[in-house]
């Protein structure tokens, strides 16, 4: 055997404490257990870890106009009827965040039915999440139903889309009411429900960490007039490194959420000129 070099002292040696020193906090409380975290716990000899149970969420939609896909052909839909799209993306978002979801379907526009659904859902869930019925129409029964059973702390919020957003309690369960318009429901879930669920799961959440860090990118469009509310515009990055704006920002146009790859966080009353730097929050970060 010929040794061509003399190895330096300590080469190829893994020393004690090289990865984890004595007294180090390895996995702080609130850490989500992914593949790397599970491997790290095993590497220091832990066969069991204290964890929080999954957040139990009761999900239902309200509205006599709602129809389940597959039950009625598009050409046979009654005037004013719409397919219940919110039910599907909300359930998918909840499952993605690790929640246990009880899908309670569609509750008709009747006060007694709404009260009964809320009362039953509060029995075995940490959060009741509803879609629709939180605006100011005569068939919007969520507000009086929640107030009859518990308390309502928040009813409207100064953002667009998503003004009719509610929070309160029904018994021991938290209650969150999302708008019925699909884009409003989608955006308010990502911006408001997501950090709320993370806190229920034991993750540390404060004002700074509630939203992912926004990217500063140039606008390749013009917005002549800003809204009086803080607005979240659906946009996507282009090949030139700027942002294109979806032409129809209506809260009922769900194609905007599919086309876009993020949201522009635009302050109240802020017009945007071509080339202005704006704050962009990628959907990839909001869905992580």
């Amino acid at each position: 055997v010929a040794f061509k070099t003399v190895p330096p002292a300590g080469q190829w040696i893994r020393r004690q404490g090289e990865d984890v020193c004595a007294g180090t906090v390895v996995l702080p409380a609130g850490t989500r257990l992914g593949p790397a975290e599970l491997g790290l716990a095993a590497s220091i000899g832990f066969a069991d870890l204290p964890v929080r149970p999954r957040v139990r969420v009761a999900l239902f939609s309200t509205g006599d106009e709602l129809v389940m896909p597959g039950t009625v052909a598009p050409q046979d839909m009654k005037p004013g009827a719409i397919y219940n799209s919110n039910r599907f993306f909300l359930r998918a978002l909840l499952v993605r965040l690790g929640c246990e979801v009880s899908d309670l379907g569609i509750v008709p526009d009747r006060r007694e039915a709404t009260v009964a659904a809320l009362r039953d859902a509060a029995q075995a869930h940490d959060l009741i999440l509803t879609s629709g019925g939180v605006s100011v129409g005569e068939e919007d029964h969520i507000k009086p139903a929640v107030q009859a059973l518990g308390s309502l702390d928040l009813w409207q919020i100064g953002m667009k889309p998503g003004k009719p957003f509610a929070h309160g309690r029904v018994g021991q369960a938290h209650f969150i009411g999302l708008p019925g318009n699909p884009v409003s429901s989608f955006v308010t879930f990502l911006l408001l429900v997501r950090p709320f669920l993370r806190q229920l799961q034991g993750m540390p959440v404060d004002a700074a960490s509630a939203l992912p860090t926004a990217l500063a990118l140039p606008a390749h469009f013009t917005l002549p007039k800003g809204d009086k509310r803080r607005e979240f515009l659906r946009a996507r990055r282009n090949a030139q490194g700027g942002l294109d704006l979806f032409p129809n920002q209506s809260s009922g146009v769900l194609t905007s959420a599919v086309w876009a790859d993020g949201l522009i966080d635009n302050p109240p009353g802020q017009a945007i000129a071509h080339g202005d730097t704006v704050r962009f929050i990628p959907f990839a970060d909001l869905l992580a």
Side-chain angles (χ1 to χ4, degrees), residues 156-165 179 184-185 188 192 229 251:
Q156 293 182 337
I157 190 166
M159 64 179 283
K160 182 182 179 181
K163 181 181 177 181
F165 177 90
S184 299
S185 189
T188 51
L192 303 174
R229 290 171 283 166
S251 59

Side-chain angles (χ1 to χ4, degrees), residues 66 102 110 119 150 172 193 217 223 225 236 288:
L66 296 177
S102 300
R110 295 196 305 274
R119 183 189 295 115
Q172 297 301 309
V193 181
L217 295 175
L223 187 71
K225 183 181 179 181
R236 73 178 179 189

Side-chain angles (χ1 to χ4, degrees), residues 54-61 86-88 90-92 94-95 98-107 117-118 120-131 197:
R54 293 182 184 270
V55 177
R56 301 165 300 170
V57 181
L59 173 67
F60 66 83
S61 307
N86 297 13
R87 179 179 186 178
F88 293 91
L90 289 175
R91 188 181 189 282
L94 290 166
V95 171
C99 300
E100 272 186 17
V101 184
S102 300
D103 188 341
L104 305 183
I106 300 172
V107 175
L118 289 168
D120 293 345
Q123 300 302 314
H125 296 91
D126 305 299
L127 170 65
I128 304 169
L129 184 67
T130 67
S131 171
L197 285 170

